[in-house]
Amino acid sequence: MDAPLIAIPSYGRNAQGHVSLPADYVTALRRAGGIPVLIPPGETRLEQWLDLVDGLLLAGGNDLDPARYEGQPHDTVTDVDPERDAAEFELLESALDVGLPILAICRGMQLLNVFLGGDLFADIPSQVEGAGPHRQGEPAEPRPIEHEVVIDPGSRLGALLGEHRIIVPSLHHQAIDEVAAELSAVAHAPDGLVEAVELADHPFCIGVQWHPELAAAEVPVHQRPFDGLVAAARGEL
Ligand code: MN
């Protein structure tokens, strides 16, 4: 098979009207042998896009609109993008319907959980007692922080990573609260927050709360989620 095509919805339009995506996602997918295909905002024929590709990567980015999970508006949630939320929900629905391999990162994992009926903490610092740091420099200039994650060795993610206690780059201020019934929580931070989920009875549908793309060039365990997605897109997993 030719190199598999992996769709990545881009970030929404920014204040300058530009469309972007952090290049680390693209680089990690190429390193895995995939061909990244960016989907810009505003696309209405998403099913046609999905017909072209062999896998879907849902990237990080802005917060999900709390209205999506019947959450309360929170004054730290300021950058919602209903257009991006709607497009990614639609892509996810179609991808799940046809069993397309899916890797969902950070916001993408939260979106997967909410799509399947779970919900989120809108703001970790004020809503999760005893929570550890999951980003630094907040709120004005959030930057990644490192923390430990413990992965269920019996999970698909555990088998894929081959390590069960890892240090991850973390950059999020929302987190999964109730896990959707169809998903299994398969990794946790030391404070108990859910750091990864996976969907049983699906060829490959894994969500991670951390940012493997930020460390994939240097740390082999962080390249493996991308390798796994591309292998699944080739039908090898
Ligand atoms: Mn975290």
Side-chain angles (χ1 to χ4, degrees):
M1 168 179 185
D2 290 343
L5 301 175
I6 308 294
I8 319 176
S10 75
Y11 280 27
R13 303 160 215 268
N14 69 10
Q16 289 77 42
H18 297 176
V19 169
S20 68
L21 181 81
D24 287 334
Y25 294 108
V26 165
T27 308
L29 273 181
R30 287 188 182 136
R31 201 182 290 118
I35 298 178
V37 179
L38 271 59
I39 303 183
E43 187 54 62
T44 55
R45 290 149 297 184
L46 291 167
E47 278 182 33
Q48 241 177 288
W49 275 97
L50 278 191
D51 284 346
L52 296 173
V53 300
D54 308 297
L56 174 66
L57 192 157
L58 294 174
N62 60 302
D63 289 332
L64 214 56
D65 186 345
R68 285 278 178 186
Y69 51 95
E70 296 174 5
Q72 296 301 312
H74 193 279
D75 58 13
T76 60
V77 178
T78 55
D79 57 349
V80 298
D81 182 345
E83 181 180 59
R84 184 177 179 193
D85 292 351
E88 292 189 344
F89 264 67
E90 189 181 334
L91 282 167
L92 190 51
E93 181 172 23
S94 301
L96 288 169
D97 275 354
V98 297
L100 207 64
I102 299 164
L103 175 62
I105 293 175
C106 194
R107 161 195 160 88
M109 182 191 84
Q110 297 172 4
L111 188 114
L112 173 66
N113 184 58
V114 168
F115 177 79
L116 292 172
D119 64 15
L120 306 180
F121 295 114
D123 178 58
I124 293 171
S126 66
Q127 295 180 355
V128 184
E129 202 178 331
H134 290 267
R135 66 177 185 178
Q136 57 184 327
E138 57 186 310
E141 284 184 65
R143 287 177 286 116
I145 196 167
E146 290 190 328
H147 68 67
E148 188 179 68
V149 163
V150 175
I151 299 148
D152 174 359
S155 66
R156 178 162 210 165
L157 179 66
L160 178 66
L161 299 185
E163 296 179 37
H164 308 128
R165 191 178 286 271
I166 63 174
I167 300 297
V168 303
S170 171
L171 178 57
H172 58 113
H173 81 111
Q174 300 196 312
I176 288 182
D177 179 3
E178 187 190 341
V179 180
E182 287 177 69
L183 291 173
S184 305
V186 296
H188 293 84
D191 59 15
L193 282 173
V194 173
E195 289 279 341
V197 294
E198 58 190 37
L199 181 61
D201 304 323
H202 186 282
F204 186 98
C205 180
I206 290 175
V208 297
Q209 181 60 75
W210 64 91
H211 282 277
E213 79 283 0
L214 295 179
E218 294 85 28
V219 186
V221 74
H222 291 309
Q223 178 59 32
R224 288 181 198 136
F226 303 97
D227 295 349
L229 174 63
V230 170
R234 281 199 175 102
E236 290 173 357
L237 279 186

